[in-house]
Amino acid sequence: MARTPLTPREDREVFVVPLDIRPEHIDANGHVNNVVYVGWLQDVGMAHWNARFDTETRARWSWVALRHEIDYLRGIGPDAQGVVARTWVGDPAGPRFNRYVRIEDGEGRLCAQGVSEWCLVDVRTLRPQRIPATMLPTFERR
């Protein structure tokens, strides 16, 4: 992935999640450890899903992360305030789509960005399922 800043498409909803910096997130270099960012990518994607889909839909479908790719651009220190993640999805490809995440500090500076590839699965069988067309409008700009 290039270090060109990720920007959402005009037709996509950008879902914003505040991120808390905890003491256990800070590594020996005095900033948020790289592994924490991987967890944030997964947590932010699930927060978006949980916020936009009802209990019945979530009981039928689930998502499996297939890969994460992250660019670390600016360290986030232990006293950072106002850190947020902004996320949106790309185009579906059968059962898969990419989810994009920008992590910004309280001043709006890009600290990290990532792309995760997710696969929709049937909760009962855990087999991949094509993303239903009825699901897609939920991810569009509101």
Coordinates of all heavy atoms in Angstrom, one line a residue, residues 81-136:
Q81 N -5.0 12.9 23.2 CA -6.4 13.1 23.4 C -7.1 13.3 22.1 O -6.4 13.8 21.1 CB -6.7 14.4 24.3 CG -6.1 14.3 25.7 CD -6.7 13.3 26.5 OE1 -8.0 13.2 26.6 NE2 -5.9 12.4 27.2
G82 N -8.3 12.9 22.0 CA -9.1 13.1 20.7 C -8.7 12.2 19.6 O -9.0 12.6 18.4
V83 N -8.0 11.1 19.8 CA -7.7 10.2 18.7 C -8.9 9.5 18.2 O -9.8 9.1 19.0 CB -6.6 9.2 19.2 CG1 -6.3 8.2 18.1 CG2 -5.4 9.9 19.7
V84 N -9.1 9.5 16.9 CA -10.2 8.8 16.3 C -9.8 8.0 15.1 O -8.7 8.1 14.5 CB -11.3 9.9 15.7 CG1 -11.8 10.7 16.9 CG2 -10.7 10.7 14.6
A85 N -10.7 7.0 14.8 CA -10.5 6.2 13.6 C -11.7 6.5 12.7 O -12.8 6.6 13.2 CB -10.5 4.7 13.9
R86 N -11.4 6.7 11.4 CA -12.5 7.0 10.4 C -12.4 5.8 9.5 O -11.4 5.4 9.0 CB -12.2 8.2 9.7 CG -12.2 9.5 10.5 CD -11.9 10.7 9.7 NE -11.6 11.8 10.6 CZ -12.5 12.5 11.3 NH1 -13.8 12.2 11.2 NH2 -12.2 13.5 12.1
T87 N -13.6 5.1 9.2 CA -13.6 3.9 8.4 C -14.7 4.0 7.4 O -15.7 4.6 7.6 CB -13.7 2.7 9.3 OG1 -13.6 1.5 8.4 CG2 -15.0 2.6 10.0
W88 N -14.5 3.3 6.3 CA -15.4 3.2 5.2 C -15.1 1.9 4.4 O -14.0 1.4 4.6 CB -15.5 4.4 4.3 CG -14.2 4.7 3.6 CD1 -13.8 4.3 2.3 CD2 -13.0 5.4 4.0 NE1 -12.6 4.6 2.0 CE2 -12.0 5.3 3.0 CE3 -12.7 6.0 5.2 CZ2 -10.8 5.9 3.2 CZ3 -11.5 6.6 5.4 CH2 -10.5 6.6 4.4
V89 N -16.0 1.5 3.6 CA -15.8 0.3 2.8 C -15.6 0.6 1.3 O -16.1 1.6 0.8 CB -16.9 -0.8 3.0 CG1 -17.0 -1.1 4.5 CG2 -18.2 -0.3 2.5
G90 N -15.0 -0.4 0.7 CA -14.8 -0.3 -0.8 C -16.0 -1.1 -1.5 O -17.0 -1.3 -0.9
D91 N -15.7 -1.5 -2.7 CA -16.7 -2.2 -3.5 C -16.6 -3.7 -3.1 O -15.5 -4.3 -2.9 CB -16.4 -2.1 -5.0 CG -16.7 -0.7 -5.5 OD1 -17.7 -0.1 -5.0 OD2 -16.0 -0.2 -6.4
P92 N -17.8 -4.4 -3.1 CA -17.8 -5.8 -2.8 C -17.2 -6.6 -4.0 O -17.3 -6.1 -5.1 CB -19.3 -6.1 -2.6 CG -20.0 -5.0 -3.4 CD -19.1 -3.8 -3.3
A93 N -16.6 -7.7 -3.7 CA -16.1 -8.6 -4.7 C -16.6 -10.0 -4.2 O -15.8 -10.7 -3.5 CB -14.6 -8.5 -4.8
G94 N -17.8 -10.4 -4.6 CA -18.3 -11.7 -4.1 C -18.6 -11.6 -2.6 O -19.3 -10.7 -2.1
P95 N -17.9 -12.4 -1.8 CA -18.1 -12.4 -0.3 C -17.1 -11.4 0.4 O -17.1 -11.2 1.6 CB -17.7 -13.8 0.1 CG -16.7 -14.2 -0.9 CD -17.1 -13.6 -2.2
R96 N -16.3 -10.7 -0.4 CA -15.2 -9.9 0.2 C -15.4 -8.4 -0.1 O -15.9 -8.0 -1.1 CB -13.8 -10.3 -0.3 CG -13.5 -11.7 -0.1 CD -12.2 -12.1 -0.8 NE -12.0 -13.5 -0.5 CZ -10.8 -14.0 -0.6 NH1 -9.7 -13.3 -0.9 NH2 -10.6 -15.3 -0.4
F97 N -14.8 -7.6 0.8 CA -14.6 -6.2 0.4 C -13.5 -5.7 1.3 O -13.2 -6.2 2.4 CB -15.9 -5.3 0.5 CG -16.4 -5.1 1.9 CD1 -15.8 -4.2 2.8 CD2 -17.6 -5.6 2.3 CE1 -16.3 -4.0 4.1 CE2 -18.2 -5.3 3.5 CZ -17.5 -4.5 4.4
N98 N -12.9 -4.6 0.9 CA -11.9 -3.9 1.7 C -12.5 -2.9 2.5 O -13.4 -2.2 2.1 CB -10.8 -3.2 0.7 CG -9.9 -4.2 0.1 OD1 -9.7 -5.3 0.6 ND2 -9.3 -3.8 -1.0
R99 N -12.0 -2.8 3.7 CA -12.4 -1.7 4.7 C -11.1 -0.8 4.9 O -10.0 -1.3 5.1 CB -12.8 -2.3 6.0 CG -13.1 -1.2 7.1 CD -13.6 -1.8 8.3 NE -15.0 -2.3 8.1 CZ -16.1 -1.5 8.1 NH1 -15.9 -0.2 8.1 NH2 -17.3 -2.0 7.9
Y100 N -11.4 0.5 4.8 CA -10.3 1.4 4.9 C -10.4 2.1 6.3 O -11.5 2.4 6.7 CB -10.4 2.4 3.8 CG -10.3 1.8 2.4 CD1 -11.4 1.3 1.8 CD2 -9.0 1.5 1.9 CE1 -11.3 0.7 0.6 CE2 -9.0 0.8 0.6 CZ -10.1 0.4 0.0 OH -10.0 -0.2 -1.2
V101 N -9.3 2.4 6.9 CA -9.3 3.1 8.2 C -8.2 4.1 8.2 O -7.0 3.8 7.8 CB -9.1 2.1 9.4 CG1 -9.0 2.8 10.7 CG2 -10.1 1.0 9.4
R102 N -8.5 5.3 8.7 CA -7.6 6.4 9.0 C -7.6 6.6 10.5 O -8.7 6.8 11.0 CB -8.0 7.7 8.3 CG -7.8 7.7 6.8 CD -8.3 9.0 6.2 NE -7.7 10.2 6.9 CZ -6.8 11.0 6.4 NH1 -6.3 10.7 5.2 NH2 -6.3 12.0 7.0
I103 N -6.4 6.6 11.1 CA -6.3 6.9 12.5 C -5.7 8.3 12.6 O -4.6 8.5 12.1 CB -5.5 5.9 13.3 CG1 -6.3 4.5 13.2 CG2 -5.3 6.3 14.7 CD1 -5.6 3.3 13.7
E104 N -6.4 9.2 13.2 CA -5.9 10.6 13.3 C -5.8 11.1 14.8 O -6.6 10.6 15.6 CB -6.9 11.5 12.6 CG -7.1 11.2 11.2 CD -8.3 11.9 10.5 OE1 -9.0 12.6 11.2 OE2 -8.5 11.7 9.3
D105 N -4.9 12.0 15.1 CA -4.7 12.5 16.4 C -5.8 13.6 16.6 O -6.6 13.9 15.7 CB -3.3 12.9 16.7 CG -2.8 14.1 15.9 OD1 -3.7 14.8 15.2 OD2 -1.6 14.3 15.9
G106 N -5.8 14.2 17.8 CA -6.7 15.2 18.2 C -6.6 16.5 17.3 O -7.5 17.3 17.3
E107 N -5.5 16.6 16.6 CA -5.4 17.8 15.7 C -5.7 17.4 14.3 O -5.5 18.3 13.4 CB -3.9 18.3 15.8 CG -3.6 18.8 17.2 CD -2.1 19.2 17.3 OE1 -1.6 19.8 16.3 OE2 -1.5 19.0 18.4
G108 N -6.2 16.2 14.1 CA -6.6 15.8 12.7 C -5.5 15.3 11.9 O -5.6 15.1 10.7
R109 N -4.3 15.2 12.5 CA -3.1 14.7 11.7 C -3.2 13.2 11.5 O -3.5 12.5 12.4 CB -1.8 15.1 12.4 CG -1.6 16.6 12.5 CD -0.3 16.9 13.2 NE -0.4 16.4 14.6 CZ 0.5 16.7 15.5 NH1 1.5 17.4 15.2 NH2 0.3 16.2 16.7
L110 N -2.9 12.7 10.3 CA -2.9 11.3 10.0 C -1.7 10.6 10.7 O -0.6 10.9 10.5 CB -2.8 11.1 8.5 CG -2.8 9.7 8.0 CD1 -4.1 9.0 8.4 CD2 -2.7 9.6 6.5
C111 N -2.0 9.7 11.6 CA -1.0 8.9 12.3 C -0.8 7.5 11.7 O 0.3 7.0 11.8 CB -1.4 8.8 13.8 SG -1.6 10.4 14.6
A112 N -1.8 6.9 11.2 CA -1.7 5.6 10.6 C -2.9 5.4 9.7 O -4.0 6.1 9.9 CB -1.7 4.5 11.7
Q113 N -2.8 4.5 8.8 CA -3.9 4.2 7.9 C -3.7 2.7 7.5 O -2.6 2.2 7.5 CB -3.9 5.0 6.6 CG -2.7 4.9 5.8 CD -2.7 5.8 4.6 OE1 -3.5 6.7 4.5 NE2 -1.8 5.6 3.6
G114 N -4.9 2.1 7.3 CA -4.8 0.7 7.0 C -6.0 0.2 6.1 O -7.0 0.9 5.9
V115 N -5.7 -0.9 5.5 CA -6.7 -1.6 4.7 C -6.9 -3.0 5.2 O -5.8 -3.7 5.4 CB -6.3 -1.6 3.2 CG1 -7.4 -2.3 2.4 CG2 -6.1 -0.2 2.6
S116 N -8.1 -3.4 5.5 CA -8.4 -4.8 5.9 C -9.3 -5.4 4.8 O -10.2 -4.8 4.3 CB -9.1 -4.8 7.2 OG -8.3 -4.3 8.2
E117 N -9.0 -6.7 4.5 CA -9.8 -7.4 3.6 C -10.7 -8.3 4.5 O -10.2 -9.1 5.3 CB -9.0 -8.3 2.6 CG -9.9 -9.0 1.7 CD -9.1 -9.8 0.7 OE1 -7.9 -10.1 0.9 OE2 -9.7 -10.3 -0.3
W118 N -12.0 -8.1 4.3 CA -13.0 -8.9 5.1 C -13.8 -9.8 4.2 O -14.0 -9.5 3.1 CB -14.0 -7.9 5.8 CG -13.3 -7.1 6.9 CD1 -12.6 -6.0 6.8 CD2 -13.3 -7.4 8.3 NE1 -12.2 -5.5 8.0 CE2 -12.6 -6.4 9.0 CE3 -13.9 -8.5 9.0 CZ2 -12.4 -6.4 10.3 CZ3 -13.7 -8.4 10.4 CH2 -13.0 -7.4 11.1
C119 N -14.3 -10.9 4.8 CA -15.1 -11.9 4.1 C -16.4 -12.1 4.9 O -16.3 -12.4 6.1 CB -14.3 -13.2 3.9 SG -15.2 -14.5 3.0
L120 N -17.5 -12.0 4.2 CA -18.8 -12.3 4.9 C -19.0 -13.8 5.0 O -18.8 -14.5 4.0 CB -19.9 -11.7 4.0 CG -21.3 -11.8 4.6 CD1 -21.5 -11.0 5.9 CD2 -22.4 -11.4 3.6
V121 N -19.4 -14.3 6.1 CA -19.7 -15.7 6.3 C -21.0 -15.9 7.0 O -21.5 -15.1 7.7 CB -18.6 -16.4 7.2 CG1 -17.2 -16.3 6.5 CG2 -18.5 -15.8 8.6
D122 N -21.6 -17.1 6.6 CA -22.8 -17.5 7.3 C -22.4 -17.9 8.7 O -21.5 -18.7 8.9 CB -23.4 -18.7 6.5 CG -24.7 -19.2 7.1 OD1 -24.6 -19.9 8.2 OD2 -25.7 -19.0 6.5
V123 N -23.1 -17.4 9.7 CA -22.8 -17.7 11.1 C -22.8 -19.2 11.4 O -22.0 -19.7 12.1 CB -23.7 -16.9 12.1 CG1 -23.5 -17.4 13.5 CG2 -23.3 -15.4 12.0
R124 N -23.8 -19.9 10.9 CA -24.0 -21.3 11.2 C -22.9 -22.2 10.6 O -22.4 -23.1 11.2 CB -25.4 -21.8 10.7 CG -26.5 -21.3 11.5 CD -27.9 -21.7 10.9 NE -28.0 -21.1 9.6 CZ -28.1 -21.8 8.4 NH1 -28.0 -23.1 8.4 NH2 -28.2 -21.2 7.3
T125 N -22.5 -21.9 9.3 CA -21.6 -22.8 8.6 C -20.2 -22.2 8.5 O -19.2 -23.0 8.2 CB -22.1 -23.0 7.2 OG1 -22.0 -21.8 6.5 CG2 -23.5 -23.6 7.1
L126 N -20.0 -20.9 8.8 CA -18.8 -20.2 8.6 C -18.3 -20.3 7.2 O -17.1 -20.1 6.9 CB -17.7 -20.7 9.6 CG -18.1 -20.4 11.1 CD1 -16.9 -20.9 12.0 CD2 -18.4 -18.9 11.3
R127 N -19.1 -20.6 6.2 CA -18.8 -20.6 4.8 C -19.0 -19.2 4.2 O -19.9 -18.5 4.6 CB -19.6 -21.6 4.1 CG -19.3 -23.0 4.5 CD -20.0 -24.1 3.7 NE -19.8 -23.9 2.2 CZ -18.8 -24.5 1.6 NH1 -17.9 -25.2 2.2 NH2 -18.7 -24.3 0.3
P128 N -18.1 -18.8 3.3 CA -18.2 -17.5 2.7 C -19.5 -17.4 1.9 O -20.0 -18.3 1.3 CB -17.0 -17.4 1.7 CG -16.0 -18.4 2.3 CD -16.9 -19.5 2.9
Q129 N -20.1 -16.2 1.9 CA -21.4 -15.9 1.3 C -21.2 -14.6 0.5 O -20.7 -13.6 1.0 CB -22.5 -15.8 2.3 CG -22.7 -17.0 3.1 CD -23.2 -18.2 2.3 OE1 -24.1 -18.0 1.5 NE2 -22.6 -19.3 2.4
R130 N -21.8 -14.5 -0.7 CA -21.8 -13.3 -1.5 C -22.5 -12.2 -0.7 O -23.5 -12.4 -0.1 CB -22.5 -13.5 -2.8 CG -22.5 -12.3 -3.7 CD -23.1 -12.6 -5.0 NE -22.2 -13.4 -5.8 CZ -21.2 -13.0 -6.5 NH1 -20.9 -11.7 -6.5 NH2 -20.4 -13.8 -7.2
I131 N -21.9 -11.0 -0.7 CA -22.5 -9.9 0.1 C -23.8 -9.5 -0.6 O -23.8 -9.2 -1.8 CB -21.5 -8.7 0.1 CG1 -20.2 -9.1 0.8 CG2 -22.2 -7.5 0.7 CD1 -19.1 -8.1 0.7
P132 N -24.9 -9.6 0.1 CA -26.2 -9.3 -0.5 C -26.3 -7.9 -1.0 O -25.8 -7.0 -0.3 CB -27.2 -9.6 0.6 CG -26.5 -10.4 1.6 CD -25.0 -10.0 1.5
A133 N -26.9 -7.6 -2.1 CA -27.1 -6.3 -2.6 C -27.9 -5.4 -1.6 O -27.6 -4.2 -1.6 CB -27.8 -6.3 -4.0
T134 N -28.8 -6.0 -0.9 CA -29.6 -5.3 0.1 C -28.7 -4.7 1.3 O -29.1 -3.8 1.9 CB -30.7 -6.1 0.7 OG1 -30.1 -7.3 1.3 CG2 -31.7 -6.5 -0.4
M135 N -27.5 -5.3 1.5 CA -26.6 -4.8 2.5 C -25.9 -3.6 2.1 O -25.5 -2.8 3.0 CB -25.7 -6.0 2.9 CG -24.9 -5.8 4.2 SD -23.8 -7.2 4.5 CE -25.0 -8.4 5.1
L136 N -25.6 -3.4 0.9 CA -24.7 -2.4 0.4 C -25.2 -0.9 0.7 O -24.4 -0.1 1.1 CB -24.4 -2.6 -1.1 CG -23.7 -3.9 -1.4 CD1 -23.6 -4.0 -2.9 CD2 -22.4 -4.0 -0.7

